[in-house]
Amino acid sequence: MKINLERIVGVDEVEGNQISELLKLVSPFQYTSEYLFIVFESLKPIRAKKGVKSVDFVDVRAVIPLDKVAMEELKISFNHNIRLVEPRWASEVEDFSQELFMENMRRGAICCLQMLNKLNKRISIDVFLEKWTNDENLIVRFINFQYRKEKLDDGNSTIWQYLLMYERHEPYPDTCLGYFFDSVHVFANWHYKKVYLTMPDSGVLRVLNRLELFGSDEWKSVISELEKDSDAQKYVRECIHQKSKLRQYIVMPIYFFLLDYFLGKKEWKDIPDDLLFLQKKYKDEYRIAACLVGLRLGFDSIHELYYDYVKKKQ
């Protein structure tokens, strides 16, 4: 779609849907200050300078930033002889930025699944998430929280939203047991609809503390203890998805393990034995954990690893 500049007399004549279509034609951007709208005094100098890479500021009536953030950044270094005006299409720009963010998350999820789960076919991440988490709007909800359009504790937030937003602040063990502490912390945040800095006492926390005391830090033994210890039964029951029967108490620690695995890698190598064990032993939980890590990191964070993976698999 093209905006017919010949017929537009003023900026006010440009409609929001025209801006939305125009944004789809530009290269994806990370910062809204990378692009701007220029209002010229006249189109005649522009038409006369075909192929020109710059214009004289005297030909510019005003510059319109994409949004408020871009405006503040441009104020710092922009030529003060040029009039910088308030953003006019910030809502259309925000909608477009959110679409880019969501697409980046989806691509990240697909690439993680390919690298970690030998996924050879294209799938719909939204359908995949709906099947296993019953939260087909997880990506939208996550983005809305990022853009402060929703609150995490609004009553409709799922445990997966709390998982994606979680950051460790406690000195949990640096073994696999630490990932189980993180998982229980996420569960507490979700269950009580409150982000705790220090985890509240609970039966399952006491189980993990005992395991730490006795030096138990193997995946199979920790999961077995959680499933049979009476103090952890409430946690285990509430962490089994009613529809898919997905064991969330296993998904979450695998997610944290994979997250650390990706954050610590600079080049792609074959999957280590401990990950192969998890992939074989907990197939469904491993698959959804890989997908969630891809959502959390996004394609921009893992693209170099992915291209290295593709290159070495050729």
Side-chain angles (χ1 to χ4, degrees):
M1 175 182 180
K2 291 184 179 180
I3 298 177
N4 193 334
L5 296 174
E6 300 286 347
R7 289 162 44 187
I8 293 176
V9 178
V11 173
D12 292 335
E13 294 186 35
V14 181
E15 298 179 358
N17 67 317
Q18 292 177 300
I19 296 299
S20 297
E21 292 300 317
L22 182 64
L23 288 169
K24 294 177 183 179
L25 301 178
V26 305
S27 299
F29 52 84
Q30 186 173 4
Y31 304 104
T32 51
S33 57
E34 295 176 33
Y35 286 92
L36 46 76
F37 298 105
I38 301 175
V39 183
F40 294 102
E41 292 289 354
S42 169
L43 290 179
K44 292 181 180 179
I46 307 304
R47 286 196 296 267
K49 301 175 184 178
K50 292 183 179 179
V52 71
K53 294 183 179 180
S54 63
V55 295
D56 198 309
F57 76 86
V58 298
D59 294 327
V60 177
R61 182 187 307 170
V63 165
I64 307 175
L66 267 59
D67 60 13
K68 291 280 189 181
V69 175
M71 185 168 187
E72 292 305 314
E73 292 182 12
L74 290 172
K75 281 181 179 178
I76 298 173
S77 58
F78 215 67
N79 188 328
H80 295 290
N81 292 310
I82 299 177
R83 183 174 168 234
L84 201 60
V85 299
E86 289 291 320
R88 291 175 179 260
W89 304 288
S91 60
E92 286 78 13
V93 171
E94 183 174 283
D95 289 343
F96 180 69
S97 296
Q98 287 186 239
E99 285 296 329
L100 291 179
F101 203 147
M102 287 189 284
E103 185 57 29
N104 184 52
M105 290 179 68
R106 293 187 182 99
R107 290 185 68 191
I110 289 175
C111 290
C112 271
L113 284 168
Q114 288 179 331
M115 288 187 281
L116 293 171
N117 199 45
K118 303 297 187 296
L119 181 71
N120 295 319
K121 61 180 181 180
R122 301 287 291 183
I123 64 170
S124 168
I125 290 299
D126 297 270
V127 172
F128 181 84
L129 289 170
E130 197 280 331
K131 175 183 177 181
W132 289 105
T133 70
N134 200 32
D135 190 354
E136 62 180 335
N137 295 316
L138 176 59
I139 296 175
V140 174
R141 289 172 180 268
F142 179 80
I143 297 297
N144 284 343
F145 178 80
Q146 295 287 73
Y147 280 79
R148 298 182 180 183
K149 291 184 176 181
E150 289 185 17
K151 293 182 179 180
L152 195 58
D153 57 352
D154 64 357
N156 296 316
S157 301
T158 65
I159 194 170
W160 307 115
Q161 290 171 262
Y162 280 87
L163 178 64
L164 292 177
M165 298 304 304
Y166 174 82
E167 296 286 348
R168 179 189 285 191
H169 297 290
E170 291 277 15
Y172 295 138
D174 58 358
T175 63
C176 84
L177 189 61
Y179 301 132
F180 287 89
F181 275 98
D182 288 320
S183 303
V184 173
H185 202 146
V186 169
F187 175 80
N189 290 345
W190 168 71
H191 186 77
Y192 296 105
K193 298 297 183 285
K194 178 181 178 180
V195 177
Y196 286 96
L197 293 180
T198 300
M199 201 184 340
D201 185 42
S202 65
V204 65
L205 181 59
R206 292 192 288 273
V207 173
L208 294 180
N209 285 332
R210 287 199 299 269
L211 289 172
E212 182 182 14
L213 182 64
F214 294 127
S216 180
D217 59 1
E218 294 183 352
W219 285 92
K220 191 174 180 180
S221 61
V222 173
I223 291 173
S224 175
E225 194 65 27
L226 287 176
E227 291 177 335
K228 70 181 183 181
D229 195 302
S230 59
D231 283 341
Q233 288 309 294
K234 182 180 179 181
Y235 170 72
V236 169
R237 284 197 307 271
E238 293 193 33
C239 280
I240 296 178
H241 195 277
Q242 293 183 354
K243 183 179 179 180
S244 66
K245 304 304 179 184
L246 189 72
R247 294 171 293 182
Q248 298 165 347
Y249 62 92
I250 297 177
V251 173
M252 291 190 288
I254 295 178
Y255 162 87
F256 287 116
F257 183 29
L258 292 177
L259 188 60
D260 275 356
Y261 175 73
F262 270 99
L263 291 174
K265 288 187 72 66
K266 294 183 178 180
E267 63 176 324
W268 183 257
K269 296 181 181 179
D270 289 335
I271 298 177
D273 291 340
D274 47 0
L275 278 182
L276 290 174
F277 164 76
L278 294 174
Q279 182 182 15
K280 183 177 180 180
K281 181 71 175 176
Y282 310 108
K283 183 179 178 181
D284 291 337
E285 287 77 14
Y286 177 90
R287 184 186 296 124
I288 187 62
C291 177
L292 291 169
V293 167
L295 292 180
R296 167 72 177 268
L297 294 175
F299 181 72
D300 288 347
S301 297
I302 62 171
H303 70 277
E304 290 186 4
L305 271 180
Y306 178 69
Y307 292 140
D308 192 37
Y309 161 81
V310 172
K311 180 180 178 181
K312 290 178 178 178
K313 292 299 177 183
Q314 290 177 344

